[in-house]
Amino acid sequence: MKKLVAFVILIVLVAVLLPGVSLSASEMKRGSRGEGVREAQEWLIELGYLEGEADGIFGKKTEASVKKFQQTIGVKSTGKLSGKQLDELQFLLMDASGAMEGDGLGEDELREIYPAGCCRTDDLPGAVDFCWRHFEAGQLTAKLRLPALPDKAISLFADRAVPMWEQAIRDLYEEWENESPEVAEKQLDIFEREMSEKEEELEQKYGAGTARAKQELAFWLEDVCVDRCFDLHTAEGNGD
């Protein structure tokens, strides 16, 4: 029931934040024209799938950008944009831009739904059962693992995820400090040094400020946070 309410809230907010868009839009394809095409082009441009200006004409370049987007969401690359896929394009942009945060639930409700601490479910990257504190940051880094994601979209997601993970880690060390001040302070110093080294390493490897450097830093911070969270809230059966 709570998930249904959250979804309804999401739909309402989409209508408010992105006026003039029908969630049941008909299929767009090569040769389509109009305001709906122009708006879809604008979203494709904002995410980096399409270059140039939105002219409201569904031509060859728009078709190619839709095919790339379809690779991202894991559907057949037809180059034809269905109403459902248009919805997914909207939601992806809203997630990337921060227009939609959380899932409409309060902290108490999140505590009921998500576990007390993060726990890895597999050795694969991103295979984590996130706790109520970190599920939103986890959703962002999950988006960073989508296929065929343009550098512009990667930067948008990473620019949100990196500070979110960094703050989450500092919050965990602050919590740890309440139990073992000296140990927590020492480990925080180690983390800050390692983060500085990691940033330098990634900048040398991929270039300062590049999408790939930001992406890899987000992944690294996620790993650090998940391990610390597991130690504090899961490993010894700790609760809140």
Side-chain angles (χ1 to χ4, degrees):
M1 181 62 183
K2 292 176 181 177
K3 285 292 185 182
L4 178 59
V5 172
F7 181 74
V8 172
I9 293 173
L10 178 65
I11 296 300
V12 172
L13 284 173
V14 167
V16 173
L17 293 169
L18 298 174
V21 179
S22 170
L23 292 175
S24 59
S26 59
E27 182 180 77
M28 299 179 190
K29 58 185 178 180
R30 180 86 78 92
S32 296
R33 293 169 176 260
E35 183 64 17
V37 173
R38 186 187 64 77
E39 289 181 322
Q41 289 174 325
E42 288 178 349
W43 300 335
L44 289 165
I45 290 168
E46 287 188 59
L47 286 167
Y49 290 101
L50 178 64
E51 295 182 358
E53 297 183 0
D55 58 8
I57 303 172
F58 200 116
K60 184 176 180 180
K61 288 177 63 177
T62 301
E63 183 180 62
S65 71
V66 168
K67 287 182 178 180
K68 189 173 182 181
F69 166 67
Q70 288 172 328
Q71 292 176 38
T72 297
I73 61 175
V75 299
K76 186 177 180 180
S77 296
T78 62
K80 300 176 182 179
L81 190 63
S82 70
K84 181 179 178 180
Q85 291 167 14
L86 181 62
D87 295 348
E88 293 189 56
L89 178 62
Q90 296 173 44
F91 294 139
L92 186 66
L93 177 58
M94 292 176 73
D95 282 338
S97 64
M100 179 64 64
E101 297 184 1
D103 61 3
L105 302 179
E107 183 175 307
D108 290 340
E109 293 172 309
L110 294 176
R111 286 173 181 266
E112 294 179 9
I113 297 173
Y114 298 95
C118 296
C119 182
R120 297 189 185 280
T121 57
D122 201 298
D123 293 334
L124 296 174
V128 178
D129 189 5
F130 290 102
C131 72
W132 64 271
R133 302 169 188 79
H134 305 134
F135 84 97
E136 185 177 351
Q139 289 177 328
L140 288 175
T141 42
K143 294 292 193 304
L144 286 170
R145 293 185 171 93
L146 291 172
L149 200 64
D151 283 352
K152 190 172 182 179
I154 289 173
S155 288
L156 288 171
F157 280 115
D159 284 343
R160 291 190 63 211
V162 166
M164 195 176 292
W165 280 123
E166 187 176 358
Q167 184 59 52
I169 292 168
R170 293 185 184 282
D171 289 344
L172 288 172
Y173 278 114
E174 183 177 338
E175 186 177 347
W176 191 3
E177 191 174 16
N178 294 330
E179 300 177 7
S180 306
E182 293 183 3
V183 175
E185 184 177 356
K186 181 179 180 180
Q187 291 300 315
L188 179 57
D189 288 341
I190 293 174
F191 161 70
E192 290 178 338
R193 183 174 67 251
E194 289 180 341
M195 180 172 173
S196 179
E197 292 172 352
K198 176 58 69 172
E199 288 179 304
E200 183 177 349
E201 172 193 329
L202 293 174
E203 287 179 357
Q204 290 179 352
K205 186 173 183 178
Y206 301 113
T210 60
R212 185 62 186 276
K214 295 177 182 180
Q215 180 185 44
E216 292 298 324
L217 181 59
F219 292 154
W220 181 80
L221 287 168
E222 178 190 71
D223 286 341
V224 172
C225 189
V226 167
D227 289 342
R228 295 292 76 76
C229 185
F230 179 87
D231 292 341
L232 281 172
H233 298 286
T234 309
E236 298 180 0
N238 296 328
D240 292 324

